[in-house]
Amino acid sequence: MKSAAFEYTRAASIGEACELLTRHGDGAKLLAGGQSLVPMMAMRLLRPAWLIDINEIAALKFVAAEKDAVRIGSCTRQAVVERDSALAVRAPLLRQALAWVGHAQTRNRGTIGGSLAHADPSAELPLVAQVLGARMLLRSSKGKRTLDAASFFTGAMSTAIRADECLEEIEWPVWRKSRTGSAFTELCIRHGDFAVVAAAAQIALDDAGRCVRAAFGLAAVGQTPLAFPELAAGLVGAFLTEDLVRAAANDAADACEPGSDLHASAEYRRHLAGVLGARALHAAHEKAKAA
Ligand SMILES: Cc1cc2nc3c(=O)[nH]c(=O)nc-3n(C[C@H](O)[C@H](O)[C@H](O)COP(=O)(O)OP(=O)(O)OC[C@H]3O[C@@H](n4cnc5c(N)ncnc54)[C@H](O)[C@@H]3O)c2cc1C
């Protein structure tokens, strides 16, 4: 199918993108990698009157290492982040998750910010944002504001980004404990498809092997990706056993509200949530032990 007619314009700076958003209001959409927006327009699920192309804005493309975080410009290509070996050491979940995002071709165009703004409940990067507690910097002509992932994702394919706002950068917390391990896993019908269910986990251990920090979450089992900070906190202070890990994952699965579709029933998704949650926690723990 072909998209409905639209006007196209290219912004040279973040300020200009914000001005154009203010001028064109609800009828405008920012165009980043186009890997979700263009198919949705072609299927006429979206009919923006204006596309504001942000691909030429150099200030939206960067990876910056800070002491306790990594900042990534929203229009940074997924492939650039995936190939960044220094980043993979500091925030390994990003590379682990990106291996599951679409295909090399889509990652060459798709951006980090585009994936978060699109907010598909089964997408990998929004799950990592929830698990790590990423912070999103939003800019409009009126100023800036920062939202954490928990308040950024508001529902299936919906975020707290206002019609006049551009997602400028994302700050990903870095765990500085030397014995930290992380893991991402999912079940999908074919490699490159969206997840039927996905799970991510990160564990830090002290020298004795006791868990000192834990985070984990699930995608495709609710309207937004889910993190389970209270269940993760329950693992802190313990020597993690298979039983402890499985119990945390099963409690998380019980707390989910998955839906049914042609790929999987709600019941099967809940089962997968427990299995994949435990698998991600176990793999993260093994990596932390080996670190
Ligand atoms: C064959 C195929 C397979 C795929 N498989 C997967 C998969 O397995 N997992 C997965 O997560 N994704 C998958 N995708 C989607 C892909 O990863 C997209 O890159 C991503 O969802 C959107 O990023 P984008 O840069 O292409 O954004 P675009 O498509 O350009 O934009 C998406 C939405 O975000 C908005 N937006 C973009 N940038 C900003 C910004 N800076 N501020 C505010 N709003 C913004 C746009 O206006 C639009 O509404 C797949 C895509 C294809 C074509």
Side-chain angles (χ1 to χ4, degrees), residues 71 85 110 113 132 138 208 210 221 244:
R71 289 166 41 238
S85 297
L132 293 182
L138 301 168
R210 202 180 283 110
V221 287
L244 265 181

Side-chain angles (χ1 to χ4, degrees), residues 108-126:
N108 279 336
R109 285 303 297 170
T111 65
I112 300 295
S115 175
L116 298 175
H118 186 60
D120 189 303
S122 59
E124 292 81 3
L125 291 177

Side-chain angles (χ1 to χ4, degrees), residues 248-267:
N250 285 341
D251 287 349
D254 287 344
C256 297
E257 291 182 3
S260 296
D261 59 23
L262 78 166
H263 298 305
S265 65
E267 192 188 355

Side-chain angles (χ1 to χ4, degrees), residues 21 28-40 46 51 54-55 60 74-78 100-103 106-107 109-120 122-126 138 161 165-168 186 192-195:
L21 281 172
K29 279 272 173 199
L30 295 180
L31 173 67
Q35 299 301 298
S36 296
L37 180 57
V38 171
M40 287 187 80
L46 282 175
L51 282 194
I54 55 173
N55 283 274
L60 289 177
S74 68
C75 214
T76 309
R77 307 279 174 217
Q78 294 159 7
W100 296 92
V101 176
H103 311 273
T106 63
R107 296 194 294 272
R109 285 303 297 170
T111 65
I112 300 295
S115 175
L116 298 175
H118 186 60
D120 189 303
S122 59
E124 292 81 3
L125 291 177
L138 301 168
I161 303 177
E165 283 180 322
C166 172
L167 173 58
E168 186 170 346
E186 72 178 47
D193 286 357
F194 278 92

